[in-house]
Amino acid sequence: MRVGIGYDVHRLAEGRDLIIGGVRIPHEKGLLGHSDADVLTHAIMDALLGAAALGDIGTHFPDTDDAFKGSDSLDLLRHVKAMLKERNFKIINIDGVIIAQEPKMKPHIPEMKRILCEVLGLDMDHLNIKATTEEGLGFTGSREGISSQVVVLIDRRY
């Protein structure tokens, strides 16, 4: 068994869609990034890559490469899943948290779970997503950005 941790953060900006966990969330600002800046999906990818000792998303999908500009993070997640499969890794479970003062994430979590489980080929009880605020503290509390932290457990298939 192997454990991985992932973290991602993006600044909120005008003129961008807010996409988290593959879900477009209505909001006056979106996350700024080279791709769609989906903090939850990016944290999941980093956690999976870390657990498999395959580096991080910056290594595989650098923000200096125009090939990834505007990328759908779910497509990148599919690529990470294929990398794990090539090495005979199976995802056991994923536990993630989204840190955002606003908008409220709870109404969108069931759809995030459905989409992410579909992409990863997981049963719904193998993925947990939570959301919290920072009570007005820090960059997420001041509504400057949104972050996500994820822990995963993977194992080799024999």
Side-chain angles (χ1 to χ4, degrees), residues 5-10 18-23 25 31 35-48 57 73-74 76-77 80 94-100 105-106 108-117 120 127-132 146-152:
I5 185 169
Y7 173 80
D8 195 44
V9 60
H10 285 279
L18 180 59
I19 300 169
I20 300 179
V23 175
I25 299 171
L31 294 171
S35 67
D36 61 11
D38 182 337
V39 292
L40 176 60
T41 303
H42 290 186
I44 290 170
M45 288 189 289
D46 252 355
L48 291 170
I57 62 174
S73 293
L74 296 177
L76 303 179
L77 181 60
V80 170
I94 298 172
D95 186 27
V97 61
I98 305 160
I99 303 106
M105 295 293 146
K106 189 173 182 176
H108 308 286
I109 288 175
E111 182 68 1
M112 290 176 194
K113 283 188 65 169
R114 185 194 67 73
I115 289 169
L116 292 167
C117 284
L120 292 170
L127 171 66
N128 189 57
I129 301 169
K130 306 173 292 283
T132 190
I146 295 176
S147 67
S148 183
Q149 297 179 23
V150 173
V151 176
V152 302

